[in-house]
């Protein structure tokens, strides 16, 4: 049965981090023999950049109606014919919307809700993944299983091939750090505090 990735956010304005993460998760499911590539279906808002990333990754995709309620109704109708084993929602804007609840609470389909929120809110779904650093403890009692903190970052499988031992050849003279979504979660100060704690570091301000 299909694994459906719901890319229901406004990707054109929110950046491409969410679809990149969903593709990385899909790749891992294929590598770990959880499902076949042809059994993974992406639902997107039709943004050309998003469509290109999914197409180049080799997955099927369906463009949803612009109205969220209509998109959910259309998907439920499809699921009546071929119910998916899992529904994975990765959206910046729709993860807590009432219209999306029928997809997240459908009996017989495991729902996974991927969010990025430093407030660690309660969220609908069977499994809620909030991989921001320093998060601990489920926000409130409920039926969802919460996977919180940096241990649940979803990375491309190629990262597994990166040597885990620190490199010692010479001294680093430059560094680059990037945080998606214009750093809406304010990771920059956390990163700078960590780097500032390194001994012998000299700052260049510009």
């Amino acid at each position: 049965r299909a694994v459906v990735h719901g890319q229901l956010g406004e990707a054109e304005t929110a950046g491409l981090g969410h679809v990149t993460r969903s593709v990385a998760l899909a790749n891992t499911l294929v590598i770990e023999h959880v499902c076949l590539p042809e059994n993974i279906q992406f639902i997107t808002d039709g943004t050309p950049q998003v469509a290109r990333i999914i197409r180049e990754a080799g997955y099927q995709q369906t463009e949803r109606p612009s109205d969220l309620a209509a998109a959910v109704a259309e998907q439920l109708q499809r699921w009546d014919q071929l119910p998916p084993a899992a529904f994975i929602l990765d959206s910046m804007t729709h993860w807590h919307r009432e219209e999306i609840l029928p997809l997240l609470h459908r009996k017989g389909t495991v729902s996974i809700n991927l969010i990025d929120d430093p407030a660690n809110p309660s969220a609908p779904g069977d499994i809620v993944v909030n991989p921001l650093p320093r998060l601990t403890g489920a926000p409130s009692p409920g039926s969802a299983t919460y996977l919180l903190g940096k241990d649940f970052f979803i990375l491309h499988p190629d990262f597994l091939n990166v040597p885990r031992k620190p490199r010692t050849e010479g001294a680093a003279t430059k560094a680059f750090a990037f945080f998606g979504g214009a750093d809406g979660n304010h990771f920059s100060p956390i990163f700078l505090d960590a780097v500032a704690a390194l001994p012998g570091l000299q700052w260049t301000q510009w």
Side-chain angles (χ1 to χ4, degrees):
R1 291 189 293 168
V3 175
V4 179
H5 288 267
Q7 280 293 322
L8 301 175
E10 296 149 358
E12 194 163 7
T13 57
L16 299 175
H18 288 265
V19 67
T20 301
R21 175 167 63 182
S22 285
V23 167
L25 180 56
N27 290 343
T28 300
L29 293 174
V30 172
I31 291 171
E32 296 296 329
H33 306 290
V34 175
C35 61
L36 298 173
E38 56 267 29
N39 288 336
I40 295 177
Q41 176 78 36
F42 279 81
I43 310 166
T44 76
D45 60 2
T47 304
Q49 298 95 321
V50 170
R52 177 180 56 80
I53 290 173
I54 296 171
R55 182 174 62 253
E56 291 178 354
Y59 297 112
Q60 305 174 66
Q61 56 186 305
T62 301
E63 182 177 342
R64 68 171 179 86
S66 57
D67 179 75
L68 183 59
V72 170
E74 180 180 88
Q75 201 58 43
L76 288 173
Q77 188 174 17
R78 288 176 179 161
W79 289 4
D80 286 339
Q81 303 299 320
L82 183 63
F87 171 61
I88 303 171
L89 176 66
D90 192 344
S91 169
M92 181 176 178
T93 55
H94 297 328
W95 61 267
H96 51 36
R97 293 276 296 273
E98 185 175 351
E99 298 96 316
I100 209 76
L101 294 181
L103 298 182
L104 291 170
H105 293 321
R106 187 183 187 281
K107 188 176 180 180
T109 296
V110 176
S111 62
I112 303 170
N113 199 348
L114 302 177
I115 67 175
D116 303 279
D117 196 318
N120 193 19
S122 177
D126 297 315
I127 300 172
V128 177
V129 183
N130 191 354
L132 300 188
R134 304 179 181 178
L135 294 182
T136 58
S140 63
S143 59
T145 297
Y146 284 83
L147 305 179
L148 306 173
K150 61 181 178 57
D151 290 342
F152 297 99
F153 273 127
I154 298 172
L155 300 175
H156 192 280
D158 286 349
F159 279 91
L160 297 175
N161 299 323
V162 177
R164 295 184 179 274
K165 294 182 179 180
R167 298 181 181 181
T168 57
E169 306 93 349
T173 58
K174 296 181 180 180
F176 173 76
F178 173 79
F179 305 102
D183 196 14
N185 292 315
H186 306 294
F187 285 146
S188 295
I190 298 174
F191 170 79
L192 294 175
D193 287 344
V195 173
L198 296 175
L201 185 71
Q202 294 184 351
W203 287 94
T204 300
Q205 184 174 355
W206 48 287

